[in-house]
Amino acid sequence: VSRRRLFVPAERLGGARLTIDGDDHRYVARVLRGRPGDRLALFDGAGTEVDAEIIHVGPRDAELALGERRTVPSGAAAVAVTLLVAVPRGERMDLLVQKTTELGVARIVPVVAGRSVVRPEAKARARWEKIAREAARQCGRADVPRVEAPDALATALGDAELPALRFALWEGEHGRGLRAALVEAFGAPVTGVTRPGTAVLVGPEGGFEPTEVEQARAAGFVPVGLGPRILRVETAAIAAVTLIQAFAGGLD
Ligand code: SAH
């Protein structure tokens, strides 16, 4: 039943026709093997979906006729999760962005911590944004998570947009686990209630420096554990988003 979906920025969805080229053309022409008359759903990542019919597929571009427009429920979020994560190496960050998008993350803030091995280049952001768009399309999400430009941890901790409820995953925290903290914050897991936005911070492979745990605490992040095993950065991030979603009823 899943319809072929293509992300198109809102400002290009205004007219009656749309010409696509580059990656979008490749996707429609090669991956979908689109032919004149085939139908697609275009989504703008902000909750609008537009029916489209392929008019013409050329070697470099394709033309679509735009039809009915509708507003779709985001499908994302029983809870808006902001994930701040010390960027792990190459394909691990790609995996993290893809999987947390499927799990409904709202915003990803890549950070560089003291023990971070990876100093992401500015162009990495465009790749993560693309992965997020493709994962959103694949999983049927109408919105696309925002991926920020990489920032130093201290700067990211001071971000004025962070939601009030904040957790820092720290393997040195043996008292309070994320699950227990979520029970306190959300009550029992039930469906259909909007939950307060939640930020979760994941450290680098080398772990947080002790001063960073203190900085995070000072910025309102409650240190929480995720069990007795040391998880890789991407595993910890995926597990945390899953747990928060589950508590908000977003996986029911
Ligand atoms: N180098 C550290 C582990 C870092 S794991 C060590 O060997 O002790 C990478 C990140 O994942 C951590 O900074 C933390 O944010 C998160 N993490 C991994 N396992 C965790 C656990 N059991 N509890 C809480 N956070 C964990």
Side-chain angles (χ1 to χ4, degrees):
V1 197
S2 101
R3 256 216 294 165
R4 312 301 203 172
R5 302 174 83 237
L6 184 68
F7 171 81
V8 177
E11 62 271 18
R12 301 188 54 216
L13 286 176
R17 295 269 169 120
L18 174 72
T19 303
I20 55 171
D21 56 13
D23 283 347
D24 293 339
H25 167 260
R26 202 163 15 255
Y27 176 71
V28 169
R30 307 248 178 91
V31 181
L32 301 183
R33 303 193 172 281
R35 303 260 172 84
D38 288 355
R39 297 184 154 275
L40 299 170
L42 310 181
F43 71 107
D44 71 353
T48 296
E49 211 171 80
V50 181
D51 286 334
E53 186 180 321
I54 298 176
I55 301 295
H56 168 78
V57 182
R60 296 229 124 94
D61 53 22
E63 199 178 357
L64 310 177
L66 306 191
E68 194 190 321
R69 314 167 60 84
R70 51 189 172 268
T71 305
V72 290
S74 81
V79 55
V81 179
T82 300
L83 174 66
L84 301 97
V85 59
V87 179
R89 273 185 295 113
E91 75 262 19
R92 295 183 178 205
M93 183 63 178
D94 295 356
L95 180 88
L96 183 158
V97 171
Q98 184 187 63
K99 296 309 170 200
T100 57
T101 298
E102 290 172 35
L103 290 163
V105 78
R107 187 171 162 230
I108 298 174
V109 184
V111 303
V112 177
R115 293 183 189 149
S116 284
V117 185
V118 176
R119 312 266 146 182
E121 297 171 56
K123 69 173 189 219
R125 182 190 191 185
R127 191 179 72 242
W128 300 328
E129 284 176 325
K130 184 168 177 226
I131 291 169
R133 278 199 302 274
E134 279 168 9
R137 174 177 69 204
Q138 176 274 326
C139 77
R141 246 180 101 155
D143 65 330
V144 177
R146 242 164 79 203
V147 182
E148 306 292 351
D151 234 332
L153 176 62
T155 313
L157 290 177
D159 176 0
E161 269 189 65
L162 289 178
L165 188 59
R166 303 172 184 182
F167 301 111
L169 297 187
W170 182 40
E171 61 287 351
E173 173 59 49
H174 301 297
R176 188 197 309 256
L178 178 57
R179 189 192 61 80
L182 288 169
V183 173
E184 269 174 48
F186 289 175
V190 283
T191 319
V193 185
T194 306
R195 304 304 187 153
T198 305
V200 61
L201 169 66
V202 185
E205 291 301 353
F208 288 119
E209 291 170 352
T211 54
E212 290 175 331
V213 178
E214 286 321 307
Q215 276 173 31
R217 212 194 290 270
F221 284 76
V222 177
V224 291
L226 259 188
R229 290 164 301 278
I230 302 294
L231 308 175
R232 300 269 203 174
V233 178
E234 68 279 15
T235 317
I238 293 165
V241 174
T242 305
L243 203 53
I244 296 167
Q245 274 286 7
F247 266 80
L251 297 179
D252 295 347

